[in-house]
Amino acid sequence: MSALVDALRAAVGAPHVLTDGDLSAWEVDWRRRYRGKALAVVRPARAGEVAAVLRTCAAHGASVVPQGGNTGLVGGGVPDASGRQVLLSLTRMNRVRGVDAANLAMTVEAGCVLQAVQEAAAAHGLLFALSLAAEGSCTIGGNLATNAGGTQVLRYGNARELCLGLEVVTAAGEVWDGLSGLRKDNTGYDLRDLYIGSEGTLGVITAATLKLHPQPAARCTALASCATPEACVALLQLARARLGAGLTGFEVMGRFALSLVEKHFPALPRPLAASPWAVLLEQSDTESEAHARALFQGLLEAALEAGTISDAAVAESVQQSRQLWHLRESIPLAQAEEGLNIKHDIALPVSRIPEFVARTDAQLLAAFPGVRLVNFGHLGDGNLHYNVQAPQGVAAADFLREHEAAVNTIVYEAVHAHGGSISAEHGIGALKRQELARFKSPVALGLMRSIKQALDPQAVMNPARLL
Ligand code: FAD
């Protein structure tokens, strides 16, 4: 293996090939569920260097795990324990190559942190509309490789819909320049869409041309209390009818999810009394703040009158709006503080969510008395983070070891029965491979394997993830 390490040093420069010392920042995933051992951590600065790394690894029979900000939640971006995989970190490739304001597009390298991309767009008065709680550390390459969703999918779509073109280093070590800023290009198979969401299993995304939008004139945020999931869905329908495309966020938070935030982040203000469900709504307005407020006021009064909500608060300032978002974004962190839990990032038709929640809650509580259900997510997109925490007083690690498989069976069978998906936005990674094999149609799986075989016949790219 030292011949491989020497060749990698020749490809990217010796200081950018790490083999000794504490490499846990690259080898352990964000949730600390996966701990691997890399043969080397390699940090290229250009697409040409990435290509040289892939050719070198292929020649030595080594596999490559691409990594961006290492915030992925399914164990797809850390090496396995074999000590034979090369960890390819894209974080040195973090330049904004250009902003084309007239074409509402910008081109950035894959290692750009999402927040830096948003800020670069904002500096031109434009909006890059991908937003998620990990935006301070996740990278655009990782966002595209996982087809990330986040809090504005309702209005702007997920990462796939915000991407116009890609630069990719193929598994064979060739650079494909597909950095098109075109909105229309019907010239055959869509290679861009093949690499988006492929979780590093087909090639390495090295740059992307992204779709921008005009910045809204004003943003308005509100929090509303609902008694049931049915009421949350009714509020969504009303908000869509009244706000149309202005509705840019619709997040639900179950009572237990918010109680964890209260427990672990007591300094965060809660503007409303506890209720079974809280809904965070965001409206982006092209006219003015006054216009946004008037629309929100009308919506919330109508919802109160109909009994859909029992209370509501509209943020009076940017600071208050941030605090409301902070409540929502603190849920994953509060959960992590509480201990390991069994995560389910699921998608369902919005109309079937109330029935899914009622049935699955009841089944889980019957099977595991006292189990605590952390339910929150992007209801506007039909995406729930339906997580299961050990009963109070039971060690989280023991509960996971003994019951994870049975809990997953209950949840995923219910998702399947309600016409849903076992992965809405986090991907498959190492975590959900078995479930994918179980719930994806055999025809679809066969086609996916054919694509993998065609684009990466030597299985250089991220083996044993996704497929
Ligand atoms: P990594 O974790 O480094 O990698 C993720 C996967 O992509 C791996 O399989 C890796 O091999 C591959 N990959 C990374 N870079 C490249 C590349 N350049 N080329 C090819 N493959 C690559 N996700 C959502 O969708 N919505 C949310 O709301 C959301 N909220 C989150 C909140 C928190 C607090 C956290 C920690 C995570 C959240 N996530 C969410 C998970 C989300 O998948 C990641 O945050 C993000 O999209 C991954 O980016 P990353 O750069 O960290 O990728």
Side-chain angles (χ1 to χ4, degrees):
M1 286 299 166
S2 74
L4 170 55
V5 173
D6 288 346
L8 291 170
R9 288 188 175 126
V12 303
H16 306 302
V17 178
L18 314 177
T19 53
D20 304 317
D22 180 8
L23 302 181
S24 58
W26 294 276
E27 292 177 333
V28 182
D29 78 317
W30 189 85
R31 294 179 65 204
R32 307 199 165 277
R33 280 201 69 170
Y34 293 89
R35 290 165 192 276
K37 176 86 196 85
L39 183 136
V41 173
V42 181
R43 305 179 68 227
R46 280 178 287 284
E49 291 183 2
V50 174
V53 169
L54 294 202
R55 286 195 303 268
T56 303
C57 288
H60 286 78
S63 58
V64 174
V65 181
Q67 190 185 88
N70 195 15
T71 66
L73 298 175
V74 291
V78 289
D80 65 20
S82 67
R84 299 167 67 89
Q85 296 193 308
V86 172
L87 191 289
L88 182 78
S89 167
L90 277 298
T91 52
R92 283 181 69 223
M93 296 188 61
N94 61 0
R95 279 185 319 130
V96 174
R97 291 192 189 162
V99 177
D100 181 349
N103 194 37
L104 286 175
M106 71 193 289
T107 298
V108 304
E109 291 181 345
C112 273
V113 168
L114 174 55
Q115 195 174 329
V117 176
Q118 296 164 344
E119 286 167 3
H124 288 75
L126 296 169
L127 171 73
F128 179 58
L130 187 69
S131 176
L132 42 116
E135 63 198 22
S137 32
C138 64
T139 63
I140 201 70
N143 300 147
L144 289 165
T146 57
N147 187 25
T151 53
Q152 301 186 94
V153 175
L154 185 61
R155 163 72 178 85
Y156 298 104
N158 47 24
R160 185 186 301 283
E161 284 153 284
L162 294 169
C163 178
L164 295 168
L166 288 181
E167 179 186 84
V168 169
V169 175
T170 69
E174 292 172 316
V175 181
W176 168 52
D177 182 351
L179 288 173
S180 154
L182 300 175
R183 263 97 181 150
K184 289 187 167 183
D185 180 14
N186 280 349
T187 52
Y189 302 140
D190 196 326
L191 300 175
R192 171 197 58 187
D193 272 352
L194 211 48
Y195 286 103
I196 294 174
S198 67
E199 301 186 39
T201 62
L202 299 179
V204 180
I205 296 169
T206 48
T209 301
L210 304 171
K211 192 189 282 181
L212 303 178
H213 289 86
Q215 284 279 2
R219 278 209 186 94
C220 210
T221 314
L223 192 69
S225 301
C226 289
T228 60
E230 283 85 351
C232 297
V233 172
L235 180 61
L236 174 64
Q237 269 179 295
L238 194 63
R240 279 192 161 131
R242 287 193 165 238
L243 307 178
L247 181 66
T248 45
F250 195 97
E251 301 285 311
V252 290
M253 301 173 274
R255 192 206 298 260
F256 180 61
L258 279 177
S259 76
L260 287 182
V261 175
E262 239 167 55
K263 177 175 168 189
H264 295 288
F265 303 102
L268 272 181
R270 281 277 299 275
L272 300 176
S275 61
W277 295 89
V279 178
L280 180 63
L281 301 99
E282 185 166 274
Q283 188 204 155
S284 299
D285 199 286
T286 50
E287 282 188 34
S288 66
E289 186 158 343
H291 185 252
R293 281 183 183 284
L295 282 176
F296 244 168
Q297 211 60 41
L299 164 69
L300 296 171
E301 275 165 21
L304 268 172
E305 210 161 288
T308 309
I309 63 176
S310 56
D311 201 0
V314 180
E316 291 294 330
S317 62
V318 174
Q319 167 74 355
Q320 282 185 5
S321 169
R322 283 207 186 116
Q323 282 172 348
L324 291 184
W325 273 108
H326 215 143
L327 274 180
R328 160 64 184 84
E329 287 166 356
S330 300
I331 295 174
L333 306 169
Q335 255 195 291
E337 290 290 319
E338 186 72 5
L340 284 174
N341 56 79
I342 306 173
K343 281 196 191 304
H344 306 104
D345 159 45
I346 54 178
L348 294 149
V350 172
S351 51
R352 303 197 70 184
I353 284 180
E355 180 193 321
F356 167 85
V357 171
R359 287 201 184 169
T360 317
D361 280 9
Q363 267 184 291
L364 286 169
L365 285 163
F368 309 103
V371 83
R372 297 174 298 163
L373 302 172
V374 185
N375 197 347
F376 66 102
H378 318 294
L379 185 77
D381 317 321
N383 177 190
L384 291 182
H385 297 309
Y386 186 85
N387 302 337
V388 179
Q389 201 106 32
Q392 192 78 49
V394 174
D398 294 346
F399 184 79
L400 235 74
R401 197 177 47 251
E402 285 166 32
H403 301 303
E404 183 169 17
V407 166
N408 285 345
T409 301
I410 290 176
V411 174
Y412 291 138
E413 290 289 354
V415 167
H416 191 60
H418 288 82
S421 165
I422 60 162
S423 177
E425 57 176 15
H426 296 162
I428 299 297
L431 184 70
K432 294 189 184 171
R433 282 173 66 220
Q434 280 171 2
E435 280 85 6
L436 186 77
R438 171 126 189 253
F439 291 106
K440 193 101 179 165
S441 97
V443 177
L445 278 173
L447 291 170
M448 284 166 66
R449 288 197 188 100
S450 304
I451 291 168
K452 171 76 177 172
Q453 176 63 26
L455 297 190
D456 182 20
Q458 271 186 264
V460 174
M461 297 304 312
N462 220 359
R465 273 51 163 226
L466 180 54
L467 282 172

